[in-house]
Amino acid sequence: MTEKKVIFLESVDSTNRYVLDLPDEQKSQGLVVRAEEQTAGRGRLGRRWASPRGKGLWLSVLWRQVWPAEKNYLLTFAAALATARAVEEVTLCQTEVKWPNDVLVGRKKVAGILLEQRGSSEPGRWLVAGIGINVSQQQAEFSEAYRQHATSLREACRDAPEKEKLFQALLAQLDFFYDLYRVGKEETLRSFFVESSNIWGERVRIRQANRLLEGSASGIDERGGLLVRTGEKEVAVYAGDLILQEWWAEKEEKALENQ
Ligand code: BTN
């Protein structure tokens, strides 16, 4: 493994923001910024990512964009796969990835990825992959809205792994998966992602800003979109929240109970 430069911060608003704001001369391939806590952790689709002190791994890795912007999704896949593998290695717990950027254990989210970039997206520019892994929160510590679908490694794997071990495993996996992207192993990355996800053939819902789509998950296309079969048609979706059947079934059951 190449020696990584790691900046460790006690507290920061967001490690992604911190990396993106570094002056160019302090940026280098594979630079990692890790924080003990984030006070304004950023999640996908403009959401907040709760990052309480000491309870998780909150970090960002700086990567050089090698391919045109439409291939950036491979970096989200690379970070998600690296996280899933590192978690499995250290906890022996089985993981799955969930399109487009989540890592699940026992069908609940334990980690999320946020890929960000400033300015134009072209080969040669910097991208930051932010990774948040819930390590030792108790279920009650998650916000009510989030609790149903989120968990920590301590809850899902019965025991919280040593954060340092998980961090080292993650660094090695990030190197491995970034290299696949760098050398253009697009098909390999995509099939790893497909193989590491257990939703194929399942009924799923995709919530987008102004529509809810329901169908059967059938694959990933060459632009990173999720393929969903609805009746005779197969559509590709490129943004939105993927909702697993047991998540909405649980909600509907609860609603019935409360009637
Ligand atoms: C998501 O699932 O919505 C993505 C969550 C990404 C959270 C990580 S924590 C480290 C990095 N810094 C941030 O502000 N966000 C990412």
Side-chain angles (χ1 to χ4, degrees), residues 92-127:
L92 305 180
C93 222
Q94 204 173 350
T95 63
E96 62 181 300
V97 294
K98 174 176 156 289
W99 180 90
N101 72 327
D102 294 343
V103 177
L104 312 181
V105 173
R107 293 248 128 170
K108 287 191 166 191
K109 176 163 171 169
V110 291
I113 312 296
L114 179 65
L115 196 72
E116 290 191 279
Q117 189 168 40
R118 285 262 167 79
S120 63
S121 188
E122 285 155 33
R125 300 198 53 115
W126 293 113
L127 275 148

Side-chain angles (χ1 to χ4, degrees), residues 13-17 38 40-45 47-49 51 57-60 101-102 109 111-114 116 129-133 146:
D13 53 351
S14 152
T15 55
N16 270 24
R17 199 279 309 150
Q38 294 184 119
R42 312 213 278 229
R44 269 180 75 232
L45 307 171
R47 298 187 187 119
R48 289 284 293 259
W49 179 264
S51 322
L57 267 187
W58 325 123
L59 63 94
S60 298
N101 72 327
D102 294 343
K109 176 163 171 169
I113 312 296
L114 179 65
E116 290 191 279
I131 303 173
I133 310 179
Y146 198 54

